[in-house]
Protein backbone atom coordinates (compact mmCIF):
# COMPACT_ATOMS: atom_id res chain seq x y z
CA UNK A 1 0.00 0.00 0.00
CA UNK A 2 1.38 3.40 -0.94
CA UNK A 3 1.60 6.23 1.50
CA UNK A 4 0.58 8.89 -1.04
CA UNK A 5 -1.60 8.84 -4.17
CA UNK A 6 0.06 7.42 -7.28
CA UNK A 7 -0.60 10.61 -9.22
CA UNK A 8 1.32 12.76 -6.73
CA UNK A 9 4.78 13.66 -8.03
CA UNK A 10 7.27 13.10 -5.22
CA UNK A 11 9.92 15.85 -5.15
CA UNK A 12 13.26 14.46 -6.29
CA UNK A 13 15.33 17.13 -4.57
CA UNK A 14 15.34 20.42 -2.75
CA UNK A 15 18.30 22.68 -3.28
CA UNK A 16 19.20 25.78 -1.29
CA UNK A 17 22.33 27.94 -1.50
CA UNK A 18 23.69 25.85 1.39
CA UNK A 19 22.64 22.21 0.87
CA UNK A 20 20.73 19.72 -1.25
CA UNK A 21 18.17 17.12 -0.21
CA UNK A 22 17.82 14.10 -2.48
CA UNK A 23 16.80 10.46 -2.17
CA UNK A 24 19.04 8.53 0.19
CA UNK A 25 20.54 5.54 -1.64
CA UNK A 26 23.00 2.73 -1.05
CA UNK A 27 25.56 4.81 -2.93
CA UNK A 28 25.67 7.16 0.08
CA UNK A 29 26.75 4.45 2.53
CA UNK A 30 30.29 5.65 3.29
CA UNK A 31 29.43 9.33 3.70
CA UNK A 32 26.21 8.54 5.57
CA UNK A 33 28.02 6.18 7.92
CA UNK A 34 30.58 8.89 8.66
CA UNK A 35 27.82 11.39 9.42
CA UNK A 36 25.91 8.97 11.66
CA UNK A 37 28.96 7.76 13.58
CA UNK A 38 30.20 11.31 14.14
CA UNK A 39 26.76 12.16 15.56
CA UNK A 40 26.04 9.21 17.85
CA UNK A 41 25.17 11.25 20.93
CA UNK A 42 22.88 13.57 18.98
CA UNK A 43 21.11 10.68 17.21
CA UNK A 44 20.41 9.06 20.59
CA UNK A 45 18.51 12.20 21.63
CA UNK A 46 16.24 11.91 18.59
CA UNK A 47 15.41 8.19 18.64
CA UNK A 48 16.27 7.35 22.22
CA UNK A 49 17.95 4.16 23.27
CA UNK A 50 21.43 3.23 22.19
CA UNK A 51 21.14 3.65 18.39
CA UNK A 52 23.46 4.01 16.53
CA UNK A 53 26.05 2.54 18.92
CA UNK A 54 27.51 -0.60 17.41
CA UNK A 55 26.26 0.18 13.91
CA UNK A 56 28.54 -1.35 11.29
CA UNK A 57 29.09 -0.17 7.74
CA UNK A 58 27.36 -3.34 6.52
CA UNK A 59 24.32 -2.72 8.75
CA UNK A 60 24.18 0.85 7.49
CA UNK A 61 24.22 -0.41 3.90
CA UNK A 62 21.22 -2.65 4.66
CA UNK A 63 19.42 0.27 6.30
CA UNK A 64 20.07 2.55 3.30
CA UNK A 65 18.83 -0.17 0.93
CA UNK A 66 15.62 -0.40 2.94
CA UNK A 67 15.16 3.38 2.83
CA UNK A 68 15.84 3.43 -0.91
CA UNK A 69 13.29 0.68 -1.59
CA UNK A 70 10.69 2.37 0.62
CA UNK A 71 11.18 5.58 -1.37
CA UNK A 72 10.85 3.74 -4.69
CA UNK A 73 7.64 2.03 -3.53
CA UNK A 74 6.32 5.32 -2.10
CA UNK A 75 5.89 3.94 1.42
CA UNK A 76 8.18 6.49 3.07
CA UNK A 77 10.73 9.02 1.92
CA UNK A 78 14.29 9.32 3.21
CA UNK A 79 16.29 12.25 1.91
CA UNK A 80 19.98 12.70 2.50
CA UNK A 81 21.16 16.24 3.20
CA UNK A 82 24.44 16.86 1.39
CA UNK A 83 26.73 19.73 0.60
CA UNK A 84 26.10 21.10 -2.86
CA UNK A 85 29.33 19.51 -4.12
CA UNK A 86 28.18 16.13 -2.65
CA UNK A 87 31.41 15.91 -0.65
CA UNK A 88 29.75 15.41 2.75
CA UNK A 89 26.51 14.17 4.22
CA UNK A 90 25.13 16.78 6.61
CA UNK A 91 22.12 14.80 7.87
CA UNK A 92 18.86 13.17 6.81
CA UNK A 93 15.15 13.97 6.57
CA UNK A 94 12.53 11.22 6.85
CA UNK A 95 8.88 11.56 5.83
CA UNK A 96 6.73 8.66 6.99
CA UNK A 97 3.06 7.81 7.32
CA UNK A 98 1.80 9.09 10.65
CA UNK A 99 1.00 6.77 13.50
CA UNK A 100 -0.88 9.63 15.15
CA UNK A 101 -4.62 9.89 14.51
CA UNK A 102 -5.57 12.99 12.52
CA UNK A 103 -2.19 13.35 10.82
CA UNK A 104 -1.13 12.01 7.44
CA UNK A 105 2.65 12.26 7.80
CA UNK A 106 5.41 12.64 10.34
CA UNK A 107 8.76 14.29 9.59
CA UNK A 108 11.94 13.42 11.43
CA UNK A 109 15.37 14.80 10.76
CA UNK A 110 18.84 15.05 12.13
CA UNK A 111 21.90 17.06 11.28
CA UNK A 112 25.52 16.09 11.72
CA UNK A 113 26.52 16.89 15.28
CA UNK A 114 29.20 19.33 14.09
CA UNK A 115 26.50 21.34 12.26
CA UNK A 116 24.20 21.84 15.25
CA UNK A 117 25.82 24.95 16.68
CA UNK A 118 25.39 26.64 13.30
CA UNK A 119 21.64 25.97 13.36
CA UNK A 120 21.38 23.52 10.45
CA UNK A 121 18.50 21.56 12.02
CA UNK A 122 16.49 24.74 12.48
CA UNK A 123 17.10 25.71 8.84
CA UNK A 124 16.03 22.23 7.69
CA UNK A 125 12.79 22.47 9.67
CA UNK A 126 12.18 25.93 8.18
CA UNK A 127 12.41 24.75 4.54
CA UNK A 128 9.08 24.23 2.76
Amino acid sequence: MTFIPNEYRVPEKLETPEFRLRMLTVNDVVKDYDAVMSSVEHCKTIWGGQWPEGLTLEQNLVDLGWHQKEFQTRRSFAYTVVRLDESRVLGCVYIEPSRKPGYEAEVYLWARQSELSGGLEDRLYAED
Side-chain angles (χ1 to χ4, degrees):
M1 180 176 199
T2 58
F3 161 35
I4 58 170
N6 287 331
E7 59 275 3
Y8 179 78
R9 186 178 161 277
V10 177
E12 292 180 23
K13 69 179 178 177
L14 169 72
E15 199 162 301
T16 74
E18 178 183 8
F19 55 78
R20 174 183 304 121
L21 274 75
R22 61 165 175 72
M23 180 175 66
L24 180 63
T25 74
V26 295
N27 296 317
D28 298 308
V29 67
V30 172
K31 292 175 190 166
D32 181 79
Y33 185 73
D34 176 63
V36 170
M37 297 313 292
S38 68
S39 306
V40 170
E41 293 307 314
H42 178 54
C43 288
K44 284 186 203 177
T45 68
I46 297 168
W47 287 281
Q50 297 300 307
W51 190 88
E53 281 185 14
L55 181 69
T56 66
L57 184 64
E58 181 180 35
Q59 290 167 331
N60 196 53
L61 177 62
V62 170
D63 190 44
L64 296 191
W66 174 76
H67 283 304
Q68 183 174 347
K69 190 64 174 176
E70 289 280 303
F71 197 111
Q72 292 168 340
T73 59
R74 302 166 65 92
R75 290 191 170 127
S76 67
F77 303 94
Y79 290 89
T80 187
V81 181
V82 294
R83 286 187 176 162
L84 294 175
D85 65 3
E86 298 273 334
S87 65
R88 189 173 201 191
V89 168
L90 302 175
C92 286
V93 175
Y94 309 93
I95 303 170
E96 302 177 353
S98 180
R99 294 171 290 227
K100 298 177 183 178
Y103 295 90
E104 293 181 15
E106 294 181 54
V107 176
Y108 303 93
L109 63 83
W110 63 273
R112 182 184 278 267
Q113 200 158 317
S114 62
E115 301 290 330
L116 296 177
S117 63
L120 179 59
E121 278 190 357
D122 294 332
R123 290 190 303 284
L124 285 169
Y125 275 116
E127 284 299 322
D128 290 336

